[in-house]
Amino acid sequence: MTTINSSSRPRTGRVLTYALVVALALAIAVPVAWVLLASLKQKSEFFGSPWTLPKGLHFQNYVDAFVTAHMGQYFLTSVFVTVLGLVFVLAVSVPAAYVIARYEFRGRRVVETALLAGLFVNVNYIVVPIFLMLVDWDRALVDVFPGGFFIDNPSVLSLVYAATSIPFTIYLLTAYFRSIPVEYEEAAALDGASRFRIMTQVMLPMARPAVTTVILFNFLAYWNDFIIALTLLPGEGKTLQVGLLNLFTAQKAAADYGRLYAGMVIVIVPVLLVYAVIQRRLIEGMASGGVKG
Amino acid sequence: MTTLSSPPPGSTNRTSEPAPPTGRSRRRRGARAPARRRGNTGFVLACLLPALVLFAVFMIVPTLNVFRMSLYTWSGFSPDMRFVGLDNFSRLLDDQQFVRAFQNTVALLVVVTVVTMGMGLFLAAIMTRQRLRARNLYRFILYIPNVLSVVVIAAVFSAVYDQENGLLNGTLRLLSLDGLQQVWLGDQKIVVYSVATAMVWQSLGYYMVLYMASMSSIPEELYEASALDGASPTRQFFAITLPLIWQSLRTTLTFFIMSAVNLSFVLVRAMTGGGPDGSSDVLLNYMYKQAYTNSSYGYGMAIGVVIFAFSFLVSLLVSRATRREPLQF
């Protein structure tokens, strides 16, 4: 630590900057903590000063949110969609990234350029055509699946999640695969390992840091998504985010906040827990180029 | 980019397959990457195809469709799809609601970019230069909004802004500043700034961490030398820190513009729905309204094309305007 000089001006400056950092941290922590606390309040407690603490632990809000507002069921849908999406994206991206990084083939440059361009295509623009396309497919298959197959299908949602994160995932994995020395694969090949074995049992374990980063970022993207889920699951089955939005609209109209706050906590807490556990990795991953909005 | 694409040796060099015409470049590299060309084709295809098919079906085709559909009038579910050329685009110019959405998008972009990047830079500089106590705790807290979903952020801010029982007005009452109370999301004049605040809240920590990463690679000696010359921390920031992280600043600026267009949309959609009376509509929000609510898919997609062109152009302009000779350290 370098103390530049001890005149009073930098010191007041330091106090001021310190105060600013604290103020900003409070501006972020207070609303979040406030929601957590408010989720335990009874209906009558929502009126008057927002700074009053809840009188008791009113867990009925949670029961209402989980059961009556179906947040428990939506939670399971979200878990399913997120996990399956991660499985899909890894299953298709790891092999693709590997051959792009290691094999020379015709059209590789085209593939790489297309994927790079894909980084700039935001899903918000293309949800409408995706939705219309799936509606079309459903219409074409109406004889086989009268109830429709592609719309309102959580697995299809996972597939769309996976597809839209392919450019980012392959981009990150390819860069990492390229940084691993070829000698390991050569040695494995001398021992008679097949190409598939080299990929899955030599390279994949070595790429674990990159795979973890990819899982983290995609987990946050899938778990937090709401636009694609809103569009592709218009029926009863919803994800947590869409469920929260509905709860939000309904409870605001009814001026009944308890269930809404409990619902918010149900959405916030898992992701905060994950963040607390992996924050170092997440921030490192971000700094090393795993940038995604 | 180096290609380390030599397949494992020990395999026999089977080149009996006649090289296709386009394979010439491959043959040239073949000196470094010999062998197993034939067997590889199957392997490469098997590895590549699933990803490429998914990518093509759910990204390339829909993207092309946005452009194609913008040239038609179409209600989406009827087969009646009429080609109108650029009519959708010329209609946009007379659409007051579109102009409003465009202005809001620009206002949000400017305000949010200036505030977020300014504050992000400032915070990052403090956090890296001044060894704050509990620095990691602040970093942890400031990054929290970035892991929250936009719906959560919208819900939190709606609760904070709530006219009667919200945290903001309640606090103002508590401080006897009743006069400052506002209908934060219901006043046409301030609703855009209420949304802007939520956007800054969401992205500040993210950019702070990014800048911290690039600042931490600046060698300490530069600061020590300039401190000996009597440079104040403020001066050091402008003379050393800022020029040295300029490149990463540029990159994030472009990136920020792209993501702010999207973030504003989701926040507006969840917080205000574009209201009151369309006063907080942003471009993407208006596109959705036209497509889904109004069933004017062609018109909606024309707006999509405009957004795409707009964010692309702005990024390009910004990237041009901020070009400097890269500095080394």
Side-chain angles (χ1 to χ4, degrees):
Chain A
M1 176 167 164
T2 46
T3 322
I4 294 148
N5 58 44
S6 51
S7 77
S8 67
R9 222 184 67 85
R11 195 167 296 162
T12 36
R14 183 170 297 188
V15 171
L16 274 178
T17 51
Y18 198 88
L20 194 93
V21 175
V22 174
L24 282 171
L26 283 177
I28 284 169
V30 167
V32 177
W34 180 61
V35 168
L36 297 183
L37 276 178
S39 70
L40 296 168
K41 285 184 176 177
Q42 298 199 28
K43 194 172 177 182
S44 59
E45 294 179 74
F46 286 105
F47 304 98
S49 174
W51 287 95
T52 48
L53 292 173
K55 289 196 196 81
L57 304 179
H58 187 64
F59 283 108
Q60 186 58 35
N61 290 335
Y62 283 88
V63 178
D64 284 348
F66 262 112
V67 182
T68 322
H70 307 294
M71 290 299 270
Q73 179 200 329
Y74 300 156
F75 190 95
L76 294 180
T77 311
S78 273
V79 171
F80 173 80
V81 167
T82 305
V83 171
L84 192 64
L86 288 173
V87 170
F88 280 150
V89 78
L90 287 179
V92 303
S93 298
V94 168
Y98 175 63
V99 295
I100 289 174
R102 281 295 200 256
Y103 282 80
E104 198 59 61
F105 54 90
R106 200 162 19 131
R108 200 192 62 180
R109 204 165 270 267
V110 179
V111 169
E112 270 193 283
T113 315
L115 287 171
L116 208 60
L119 281 175
F120 293 95
V121 175
N122 193 286
V123 102
N124 289 325
Y125 306 100
I126 60 170
V127 169
V128 178
I130 290 177
F131 171 71
L132 292 173
M133 181 172 78
L134 295 178
V135 169
D136 263 357
W137 291 357
D138 266 347
R139 206 177 292 145
L141 287 180
V142 77
D143 294 331
V144 196
F145 302 104
F149 176 78
F150 292 101
I151 297 291
D152 265 327
N153 184 339
S155 310
V156 173
L157 181 61
S158 305
L159 204 63
V160 174
Y161 282 159
T164 51
S165 52
I166 280 175
F168 158 76
T169 309
I170 291 188
Y171 171 76
L172 213 87
L173 289 177
T174 307
Y176 199 86
F177 277 135
R178 284 204 172 113
S179 73
I180 300 175
V182 208
E183 280 75 23
Y184 295 98
E185 290 153 277
E186 290 175 354
L190 279 178
D191 289 343
S194 69
R195 283 176 297 242
F196 183 74
R197 257 182 84 105
I198 293 175
M199 178 173 80
T200 52
Q201 297 192 346
V202 178
M203 290 299 273
L204 192 55
M206 295 185 76
R208 242 177 75 183
V211 173
T212 319
T213 306
V214 158
I215 290 178
L216 287 183
F217 280 94
N218 285 337
F219 162 76
L220 283 178
Y222 302 168
W223 185 264
N224 284 340
D225 164 73
F226 121 93
I227 278 299
I228 316 181
L230 181 74
T231 315
L232 299 189
L233 300 182
E236 289 299 302
K238 296 183 194 332
T239 61
L240 214 42
Q241 309 293 341
V242 181
L244 181 65
L245 187 76
N246 284 6
L247 196 58
F248 176 48
T249 328
Q251 302 301 297
K252 232 168 76 168
D256 182 2
Y257 299 96
R259 206 181 289 178
L260 171 61
Y261 285 103
M264 283 162 76
V265 174
I266 295 170
V267 181
I268 293 176
V269 164
V271 85
L272 269 192
L273 285 179
V274 172
Y275 169 54
V277 174
I278 49 114
Q279 53 136 338
R280 198 160 293 263
R281 265 226 83 84
L282 190 72
I283 285 171
E284 273 167 13
M286 197 184 95
S288 70
V291 179
K292 199 192 183 191
Chain B
M1 226 187 297
T2 47
T3 29
L4 297 165
S5 53
S6 53
S11 52
T12 45
N13 198 344
R14 278 177 291 163
T15 40
S16 54
E17 185 188 33
T22 39
R24 224 168 285 141
S25 63
R26 199 173 53 169
R27 173 169 278 179
R28 193 158 18 87
R29 292 186 188 179
R32 272 176 60 230
R36 298 219 304 201
R37 186 170 299 157
R38 200 181 189 177
N40 280 347
T41 317
F43 180 68
V44 165
L45 274 182
C47 286
L48 215 52
L49 226 47
L52 288 187
V53 168
L54 267 188
F55 176 65
V57 170
F58 289 109
M59 287 198 87
I60 297 180
V61 171
T63 307
L64 297 177
N65 263 337
V66 170
F67 286 90
R68 193 175 61 91
M69 283 162 64
S70 71
L71 305 175
Y72 289 82
T73 54
W74 187 36
S75 66
F77 298 99
S78 76
D80 180 30
M81 198 174 169
R82 201 157 48 85
F83 183 82
V84 292
L86 297 175
D87 263 20
N88 284 329
F89 293 93
S90 56
R91 259 177 68 199
L92 283 175
L93 297 173
D94 299 321
D95 184 344
Q96 286 310 307
Q97 213 33 59
F98 169 78
V99 175
R100 184 82 181 256
F102 197 92
Q103 287 168 340
N104 281 341
T105 307
V106 174
L108 276 176
L109 271 187
V110 173
V111 172
V112 174
T113 308
V114 170
V115 175
T116 311
M117 301 201 92
M119 276 170 50
L121 269 174
F122 179 70
L123 280 175
I126 295 174
M127 303 272 272
T128 29
R129 295 299 306 149
Q130 320 252 356
R131 303 269 178 249
L132 283 188
R133 226 179 306 150
R135 192 171 76 122
N136 287 336
L137 178 70
Y138 293 121
R139 196 179 68 169
F140 177 81
I141 293 175
L142 285 162
Y143 194 80
I144 285 177
N146 206 256
V147 300
L148 300 181
S149 73
V150 199
V151 182
V152 166
I153 287 162
V156 169
F157 269 83
S158 298
V160 169
Y161 285 144
D162 190 282
Q163 195 186 340
E164 291 300 320
N165 313 303
L167 191 59
L168 192 49
N169 278 351
T171 309
L172 289 173
R173 274 199 298 273
L174 202 71
L175 301 172
S176 311
L177 295 168
D178 295 46
L180 292 177
Q181 289 188 63
Q182 302 284 346
V183 194
W184 301 103
L185 293 176
D187 186 330
Q188 299 212 7
K189 287 198 198 68
I190 56 174
V191 64
V192 172
Y193 302 100
S194 304
V195 175
T197 308
M199 285 174 71
V200 173
W201 193 85
Q202 199 269 347
S203 32
L204 184 60
Y206 179 81
Y207 288 91
M208 179 192 78
V209 170
L210 270 188
Y211 298 144
M212 280 174 76
S214 47
M215 283 181 191
S216 63
S217 65
I218 301 175
E220 186 62 24
E221 298 89 71
L222 291 174
Y223 292 104
E224 281 163 12
S226 72
L228 286 178
D229 292 340
S232 68
T234 318
R235 209 184 135 76
Q236 287 181 331
F237 175 76
F238 286 105
I240 301 172
T241 313
L242 208 52
L244 285 177
I245 66 158
W246 192 258
Q247 286 310 315
S248 77
L249 205 63
R250 279 184 66 201
T251 322
T252 51
L253 189 57
T254 322
F255 182 70
F256 189 84
I257 290 165
M258 295 282 207
S259 63
V261 171
N262 298 304
L263 178 65
S264 67
F265 154 60
V266 192
L267 270 183
V268 162
R269 189 183 161 103
M271 270 168 85
T272 70
D277 198 21
S279 56
S280 63
D281 259 333
V282 289
L283 285 175
L284 268 165
N285 201 47
Y286 192 53
M287 173 185 113
Y288 269 68
K289 277 189 182 172
Q290 287 299 335
Y292 288 122
T293 317
N294 221 3
S295 275
S296 308
Y297 282 90
Y299 192 55
M301 291 301 97
I303 301 171
V305 172
V306 170
I307 310 166
F308 194 74
F310 169 74
S311 40
F312 188 75
L313 270 180
V314 172
S315 309
L316 204 71
L317 281 177
V318 164
S319 157
R320 279 276 157 109
T322 54
R323 185 171 292 166
R324 301 270 189 288
E325 281 298 308
L327 284 170
Q328 297 292 322
F329 51 83

